[in-house]
Amino acid sequence: MELKRVVVTGLGAITPIGNDVAATWDNAVKGVSGAGPITHFDASLFKTQFGCEVKNFNATEHFDRKEVRKYDLYAQYALVAARQAVADASIDAEGVDHDRVGVIFAAGIGGLHTFEEEAGYYAMHKDQGPKYNPFFIPKMIADIAAGHISMLYGFRGPNFGTVSACASSTNALIDAFNYIRLGMADAIITGGAEAAIYPAGVGGFNSMHALSTRNDSPETASRPFSGSRDGFIMGEGSACLVFEELEHAKARGAKIYAEVVGGGMSADAYHITATHPEGLGAKLVMKNALKDAGLQPADVDYINAHGTSTPVGDLSEVKAIKELWGEDAYKLNISSTKSMTGHLLGATGALEALFCVKAVQTDIVPPTINHADDDLDPEIDYKLNFTFNEAQHRTVNVALSNTFGFGGHNASIIVKKWAE
């Protein structure tokens, strides 16, 4: 069976550094940090009191008041990003067969705020018996964003959510890619959303010592590959991409941002939260993605690293890249855009894939910010080009995005510059 080719025809984003794709990409290229004090709740007693929140978001500007009550914040972000991407691709246009358009949308956690509210309400009133909001379950579950997007547009193709911790939305993209190239859909709206900057999210990750505690300098706290890195910053928001079968896109005159050429998956099979210290799963997932794309390591120009700014995770990813690429590793640009956006958990893979699409479209590699020349890790090879502090202009024909999740879930996706 000959596999169909898949291209990207629409983009949408609402992130800590911009409420649309243009602003998000512009700020990423400029190296703008999205970090600041937490405003969603009083975090003054928490070890970490900052995060990368979406700014200037008012739900009533996007939804009527009845809808707002039905949607958890993560689903609101998903719908905003999806509306942007669908409009950008014009995939809801007359003549598009809605039976052949699907939605595969991820969340690593889902409606955490809704769960917290309902649990708190029950704890306060448990002596009166259970009194739960009828929207509790449909607001909370991690698949509901995909459902809402499909219902908004009447897209009746494949429809589900993926959950694999921080790899969730990369897995969603890979599923979308596979469904289209197997001929099971003409287009799929895919991506991820997350909104977990609430007490349970921050407190839970604090208890694991996973978050940075640089409360005196939030903007510089995420410093991937630097010697003093001490944990990730939690981010929130959503990114959405429209994947479309090539001939379908060409027939309707759609603009094409990039081609999706491969996806890989693997498991660390090592630890519930820590990456394998030698990067075995990371190496395998990139190897699998390259094989799927029919590419060699030397063909890749840019890697958007998982790069969370954790001591173990960053080092293991660097080891994996060096081992798989060999001497060609020194020809790569590598960067961690989490230094600016924070870690969007289940939405991070979609956002970083979007950055890869923009990199191959514009020939600009966004930076890894917050690095100082004297802040070095003796185990990291700084002859590698981590694109520290400033974006770099170079030809980017092929870009690879890595995402690794708790449970040892690894996923990588590869995009290529579009050419007839």
Side-chain angles (χ1 to χ4, degrees):
M1 174 182 177
E2 184 178 354
L3 295 176
K4 298 179 182 295
R5 294 172 69 182
V6 180
V7 292
V8 181
T9 57
L11 300 172
I14 177 166
T15 76
I17 58 172
N19 287 7
D20 57 28
V21 173
T24 295
W25 178 244
D26 184 54
N27 284 324
V29 170
K30 290 176 179 175
V32 174
S33 172
I38 290 172
T39 64
H40 288 334
F41 68 97
D42 180 2
S44 59
L45 298 180
F46 284 70
K47 293 179 182 177
T48 297
Q49 298 164 13
F50 61 94
C52 285
E53 296 179 340
V54 170
K55 318 299 190 291
N56 303 313
F57 177 75
N58 184 343
T60 57
E61 294 178 0
H62 302 275
F63 313 101
D64 66 39
R65 293 189 181 277
K66 288 184 179 179
E67 288 179 314
V68 171
R69 294 192 349 241
K70 296 178 182 178
Y71 303 148
D72 184 88
L73 183 59
Y74 101 93
Q76 294 175 20
Y77 290 157
L79 282 161
V80 169
R83 284 173 172 171
Q84 293 176 14
V86 168
D88 186 36
S90 299
I91 197 66
D92 190 36
E94 185 177 348
V96 174
D97 184 355
H98 284 42
D99 289 351
R100 298 275 302 168
V101 180
V103 182
I104 303 177
F105 221 84
I109 298 174
L112 183 63
H113 186 217
T114 296
F115 185 86
E116 276 197 333
E117 283 187 324
E118 292 297 317
Y121 184 82
Y122 173 68
M124 289 175 59
H125 301 282
K126 62 183 179 180
D127 292 340
Q128 302 171 25
K131 295 181 180 179
Y132 286 95
N133 189 313
F135 294 118
F136 170 37
I137 299 299
K139 282 179 69 174
M140 177 197 70
I141 51 180
D143 69 298
I144 203 65
H148 283 311
I149 296 166
S150 71
M151 287 182 275
L152 177 63
Y153 294 102
F155 293 146
R156 294 179 290 273
N159 181 259
F160 57 91
T162 55
V163 179
S164 49
C166 302
S168 296
S169 54
T170 304
N171 279 128
L173 269 58
I174 293 170
D175 280 356
F177 173 53
N178 285 329
Y179 273 82
I180 294 169
R181 65 176 174 169
L182 289 170
M184 300 174 69
D186 294 330
I188 293 181
I189 287 63
T190 185
E194 205 78 89
I197 306 179
Y198 287 102
V202 176
F205 281 112
N206 267 158
S207 70
M208 299 167 57
H209 306 286
L211 297 180
S212 172
T213 55
R214 294 180 190 278
N215 295 310
D216 59 337
S217 183
E219 295 84 0
T220 65
S222 182
R223 48 184 70 186
F225 312 118
S226 293
S228 62
R229 63 190 186 278
D230 71 329
F232 74 83
I233 302 178
M234 194 180 299
E236 64 173 4
S238 179
C240 181
L241 300 88
V242 176
F243 283 8
E244 189 169 354
E245 193 271 324
L246 173 60
E247 297 305 322
H248 186 270
K250 290 168 67 174
R252 66 184 193 86
K255 66 177 176 294
I256 295 175
Y257 285 101
E259 183 173 5
V260 188
V261 292
M265 294 171 282
S266 76
D268 273 2
Y270 171 71
H271 189 272
I272 57 171
T273 56
T275 56
H276 192 285
E278 298 304 315
L280 296 187
K283 177 185 174 184
L284 180 59
V285 73
M286 291 186 286
K287 183 178 179 180
N288 289 342
L290 288 165
K291 181 179 179 181
D292 188 45
L295 298 172
Q296 297 299 315
D299 296 323
V300 178
D301 302 298
Y302 168 48
I303 295 177
N304 188 297
H306 188 57
T308 56
S309 192
T310 57
V312 175
D314 288 9
L315 180 58
S316 64
E317 188 173 10
V318 171
K319 287 180 179 179
I321 292 169
K322 285 194 67 178
E323 187 169 341
L324 185 57
W325 264 260
E327 288 301 310
D328 287 322
Y330 300 100
K331 302 174 185 177
L332 288 166
N333 271 78
I334 301 165
S335 75
S336 172
T337 46
K338 289 185 181 71
S339 58
M340 298 173 282
T341 66
H343 190 351
L344 272 67
L345 307 179
T348 203
L351 178 56
E352 289 159 16
L354 186 153
F355 285 145
C356 284
V357 169
K358 294 298 292 182
V360 302
Q361 182 200 17
T362 64
D363 289 325
I364 301 173
V365 175
T368 306
I369 66 170
N370 298 326
H371 180 72
D373 290 340
D374 60 351
D375 185 11
L376 305 180
D377 180 338
E379 295 190 76
I380 288 181
D381 182 355
Y382 290 101
K383 293 179 183 177
L384 295 169
N385 185 356
F386 291 105
T387 323
F388 282 133
N389 298 325
E390 292 186 4
Q392 293 181 13
H393 293 256
R394 64 164 291 172
T395 299
V396 184
N397 289 315
V398 177
L400 179 150
S401 174
N402 283 333
T403 44
F404 312 139
F406 286 176
H409 313 301
N410 305 312
S412 299
I413 193 161
I414 301 175
V415 297
K416 185 176 181 181
K417 190 182 293 291
W418 165 247
E420 283 286 354

